[in-house]
Amino acid sequence: MADITFNAIRKSYGRTEVIHGIDAEIADGEFIVIVGPSGCGKSTLLRMVAGLETITSGEVHIGDRVVNALEPRERDIAMVFQNYALYPHMSVFDNMAYGLKIANVPKPEIAERVAEAARMLELEPYLERKPRQLSGGQRQRVAMGRAIVRKPAVFLFDEPLSNLDAKLRVQMRLEIKALQRKLGVTALYVTHDQVEAMTLADRMIVMNAGVCEQIGAPLDVYADPATLFVAGFIGSPPMNVISHDIRPGHGALAPGAVIGVRPEHIDLVEPGTGLIDFDVGFCEPLGAETLVHGVTAAGDKLVVRIDGETRPPADGVKTGLSIDPSKIMMFDPSGHRTSA
Amino acid sequence: MSGMVEKRGLGTWLTHIGLILGIAIICFPIYMAFVASTVTQSEIAQPPMPLLPGPHFIDNYTAALTQGINAPVMTMLVNSMVMALGITIGKISISLISAYAIVYFKFPFRMAFFWMIFLTLMLPVEVRIVPTYEVVAGFGMLNSYSGLILPLIASATATFLFRQFFLTVPDELVEAARVDGAGPVRFFIDILLPMSRTNIAALFVILFIYGWNQYLWPLLITTEPEMNTIVMGIKQMFPSGDDIANWPVIMATTLMAMLPPVAVVVLMQRLFVKGLVESEK
């Protein structure tokens, strides 16, 4: 078990820099999710920790060692890959035991460790099978078993659930979380799915275009996004972006500045009584909640989240919007939060 | 099932008759060779040739195996086996290793080397036979197994085949092996080789037959009868001038020359199909 420190990490391919200096401190036993859109450099960052990519500049510390120049196997890490990367010709047992065999762990200990991992992951009936005889969820478990048996200091997950169907994804998500809690191993988990990030993370690192936008606990990041990008990326549906100042007693916004409001912080009221009038376009009833899409009188497109038991307004109806002023967030033209 | 039976009309019968006729036409010469190897010389020389096997099977085959005409067939079979296996195993090992180097390692002029290997496709043995002979003779390898095997070992086709296969192996597998602590040699032996076994089996069949059927090269570099291979040895059995050909022995030799490739195809085909059925994704 170990803490991890990123110290001004940069990565360039030729002359193109893809990661522009990342600093972060990860405590021992923390579950950190790196989340961002595809191409933001999150996988590259993870692969630099794993030792599968070289680090152009900066330092990665695992425990008290700088691991920049170490081979993956010397870094005391284990990695779970997106497509599982199981050895197709080996049985489940051999897949899990391979790393230990190479490390010359005595056979009885290998058998014991694999048995323990198999019990934990409910893989005991499948130990003699080949990966192709397993379902996607089982393969994913084997990949995790392969990581567990090595008792690493750090778990690295590279979008491990994206090849599974939606239901299995939710189930495996819970299992991963429970497993990490139980083992107490520091985990770095890369995903583009903000729901996965919110549910798994102790803290999350939101990345965009090779830059770390915000680091924080999921609910803090949600409630208090540092940038417009984070506000738009975390939360579904995303935060509403309004380019006209709708607050009473304020003039026009500075050019390029915008207001952000979460869909659940807006209420539908009688026309003329709210902050601004609103034309309902259409509604998406989702059961527990209903999303109301429409346009404000000033021309901003908004989504309002209302309770699922409230009768949704008919398409094309005019209403008013009431917004709690304390929930309104201001962003300057560069996308950073401002107080005013 | 009943539907299949009902469909058996005249067409099915005709196709089967056609196929049986075709097989008969192809098999008849082989049958004739078998008949010829079980009768005496005089029975063949005197028309009409018998169409039913005679009683001299054991005599003729024993004579061929132990004495032959120039060299005992046993010796030639052993020579052929050594050459065919040497070429097959040599070709497969060298192509595996060179494909591994080309696909998994970055080194200067990597593509240049690949194309150089590829270009040798244009230079089969027959084209380079004179200079190759010169080199082999210079090394004193005439009338030796190494002389028979080494010049035929390089194989662009097999290298290319393995290269294409290695390119389909996902990168994640390489990375997983690295994280597991497998170095390049371990990865090759523990993971890449077992995954290539279907390809290896297929190539083994093709290359064994290629090696077994070599004619020109052994003819050129083996002058001593003890080093003759069986495919060229058959030709050497034909008498020069007015001598009488010992047809029963020659025919027995011919049939024995056919057996190992047939055995390889039959045996390896099982493995090959098994490999295909168990194919990995």
Side-chain angles (χ1 to χ4, degrees):
Chain A
M1 274 169 261
D3 47 355
I4 306 173
T5 310
F6 296 154
N7 200 346
I9 298 180
R10 288 169 184 275
K11 174 73 186 175
S12 306
Y13 291 109
R15 300 172 80 182
T16 321
E17 190 172 83
V18 292
I19 291 188
H20 311 289
I22 299 227
D23 292 281
E25 304 233 350
I26 295 160
D28 185 14
E30 236 186 333
F31 200 120
I32 294 287
V33 176
I34 305 172
V35 64
S38 50
C40 71
K42 56 190 189 298
S43 281
T44 311
L45 182 64
L46 189 80
R47 293 163 57 79
M48 287 195 282
V49 180
L52 298 171
E53 299 273 355
T54 55
I55 300 164
T56 309
S57 77
E59 279 175 348
V60 173
H61 300 254
I62 297 180
D64 45 12
R65 295 186 301 168
V66 175
V67 297
N68 284 34
L70 296 183
E71 274 289 302
R73 73 190 132 120
E74 299 162 333
R75 296 189 180 197
D76 204 6
I77 50 130
M79 186 152 172
V80 177
F81 294 87
Q82 179 174 352
N83 64 5
Y84 324 129
L86 301 177
Y87 309 122
H89 58 288
M90 291 188 194
S91 68
V92 168
F93 181 93
D94 289 334
N95 261 288
M96 293 206 259
Y98 187 59
L100 299 178
K101 266 183 205 159
I102 292 179
N104 289 323
V105 175
K107 271 199 176 150
E109 199 190 331
I110 295 182
E112 195 180 304
R113 283 212 222 169
V114 172
E116 194 190 332
R119 200 179 56 244
M120 224 185 285
L121 295 162
E122 292 165 20
L123 283 171
E124 281 160 318
Y126 311 112
L127 282 177
E128 295 311 313
R129 295 211 191 160
K130 296 279 173 65
R132 67 171 180 282
Q133 297 165 311
L134 301 177
S135 68
Q138 288 164 343
R139 287 182 206 185
Q140 186 60 60
R141 284 212 186 86
V142 177
M144 299 207 329
R146 190 165 64 176
I148 292 172
V149 293
R150 304 186 48 213
K151 301 192 174 163
V154 181
F155 278 144
L156 304 175
F157 297 92
D158 190 0
E159 308 223 10
L161 304 183
S162 26
N163 284 2
L164 300 179
D165 62 53
K167 199 177 162 196
L168 205 52
R169 205 177 301 159
V170 174
Q171 186 196 335
M172 290 303 293
R173 196 166 77 200
L174 296 173
E175 285 185 22
I176 289 180
K177 179 84 169 174
L179 200 65
Q180 192 266 348
R181 283 274 179 281
K182 192 168 163 192
L183 300 172
V185 177
T186 316
L188 268 182
Y189 186 107
V190 161
T191 181
H192 61 267
D193 181 344
Q194 52 106 7
V195 178
E196 245 169 57
M198 295 287 287
T199 50
L200 282 173
D202 291 326
R203 283 192 302 153
M204 55 197 211
I205 299 178
V206 186
M207 281 185 68
N208 182 35
V211 176
C212 168
E213 298 262 342
Q214 190 170 4
I215 303 179
L219 287 180
D220 294 345
V221 172
Y222 184 81
D224 197 14
T227 65
L228 195 57
F229 172 82
V230 176
F233 193 77
I234 302 297
S236 171
M239 182 179 277
N240 290 303
V241 177
I242 306 172
S243 49
H244 299 86
D245 204 339
I246 50 174
R247 295 168 300 169
H250 283 75
L253 286 171
V258 291
I259 289 176
V261 191
R262 293 262 177 220
E264 61 269 33
H265 296 144
I266 310 178
D267 288 317
L268 296 180
V269 293
E270 287 301 309
T273 62
L275 286 177
I276 192 164
D277 280 353
F278 182 65
D279 286 335
V280 175
F282 58 95
C283 296
E284 291 179 305
L286 300 173
E289 63 191 30
T290 300
L291 303 179
V292 182
H293 296 252
V295 187
T296 65
D300 293 300
K301 281 188 183 167
L302 290 191
V303 180
V304 181
R305 174 182 272 157
I306 60 173
D307 193 81
E309 297 190 355
T310 313
R311 191 175 167 73
D315 295 358
V317 161
K318 280 195 195 309
T319 67
L321 298 179
S322 117
I323 302 169
D324 178 353
S326 69
K327 303 288 188 189
I328 290 179
M329 299 175 200
M330 306 291 298
F331 296 92
D332 68 15
S334 67
H336 288 88
R337 272 284 286 289
T338 53
S339 49
Chain B
M1 286 305 282
S2 59
M4 284 171 70
V5 176
E6 281 165 23
K7 276 188 185 172
R8 270 195 194 165
L10 189 63
T12 321
W13 286 105
L14 281 178
T15 5
H16 276 80
I17 289 169
L19 285 171
I20 289 167
L21 263 175
I23 291 170
I25 290 170
I26 289 170
C27 290
F28 186 68
I30 298 170
Y31 175 73
M32 284 309 291
F34 176 69
V35 171
S37 71
T38 58
V39 294
T40 58
Q41 168 68 20
S42 54
E43 279 174 291
I44 296 175
Q46 185 185 335
M49 210 194 129
L51 282 176
L52 288 175
H56 300 282
F57 177 84
I58 292 174
D59 301 344
N60 290 338
Y61 280 79
T62 317
L65 278 175
T66 51
Q67 293 144 37
I69 292 175
N70 300 313
V73 171
M74 200 60 209
T75 312
M76 296 199 289
L77 277 174
V78 169
N79 291 343
S80 275
M81 191 58 87
V82 170
M83 181 176 76
L85 283 179
I87 291 176
T88 309
I89 294 168
K91 265 181 189 280
I92 290 178
S93 345
I94 286 196
S95 348
L96 270 168
I97 295 168
S98 43
Y100 184 52
I102 283 169
V103 173
Y104 286 98
F105 293 88
K106 278 185 192 155
F107 52 90
F109 309 113
R110 180 162 73 144
M111 283 324 279
F113 279 106
F114 172 67
W115 285 111
M116 266 163 63
I117 294 175
F118 206 65
L119 279 178
T120 59
L121 268 182
M122 288 193 241
L123 301 170
V125 185
E126 291 74 16
V127 175
R128 57 187 161 90
I129 201 153
V130 174
T132 308
Y133 181 87
E134 186 69 31
V135 171
V136 169
F139 277 115
M141 293 198 295
L142 298 180
N143 287 312
S144 72
Y145 286 134
S146 41
L148 279 171
I149 295 168
L150 290 182
L152 300 179
I153 273 186
S155 172
T157 329
T159 308
F160 189 69
L161 196 122
F162 283 125
R163 172 185 179 264
Q164 295 310 96
F165 172 69
F166 290 169
L167 287 177
T168 66
V169 173
D171 287 345
E172 265 104 340
L173 223 50
V174 187
E175 289 169 351
R178 272 184 76 191
V179 172
D180 267 342
V185 176
R186 282 207 88 125
F187 173 71
F188 182 70
I189 293 172
D190 287 351
I191 294 166
L192 219 46
L193 272 189
M195 285 179 73
S196 319
R197 63 182 193 277
T198 22
N199 285 310
I200 293 176
L203 269 178
F204 189 92
V205 174
I206 297 167
L207 295 179
F208 183 85
I209 292 169
Y210 167 85
W212 187 268
N213 286 342
Q214 282 302 316
Y215 175 70
L216 191 57
W217 181 247
L219 187 68
L220 216 67
I221 75 150
T222 61
T223 46
E224 292 164 21
E226 301 83 65
M227 287 307 296
N228 283 0
T229 64
I230 193 154
V231 173
M232 60 159 292
I234 293 168
K235 180 75 174 73
Q236 304 290 79
M237 285 176 160
F238 293 160
S240 48
D242 292 336
D243 291 353
I244 297 165
N246 189 351
W247 287 113
V249 169
I250 296 177
M251 285 301 133
T253 311
T254 316
L255 283 179
M256 284 191 282
M258 276 173 53
L259 288 180
V262 169
V264 164
V265 169
V266 169
L267 290 177
M268 298 293 287
Q269 202 171 27
R270 270 215 212 122
L271 232 175
F272 184 48
V273 171
K274 193 174 150 226
L276 282 183
V277 172
E278 280 183 3
S279 76
E280 331 284 5
K281 278 168 210 116

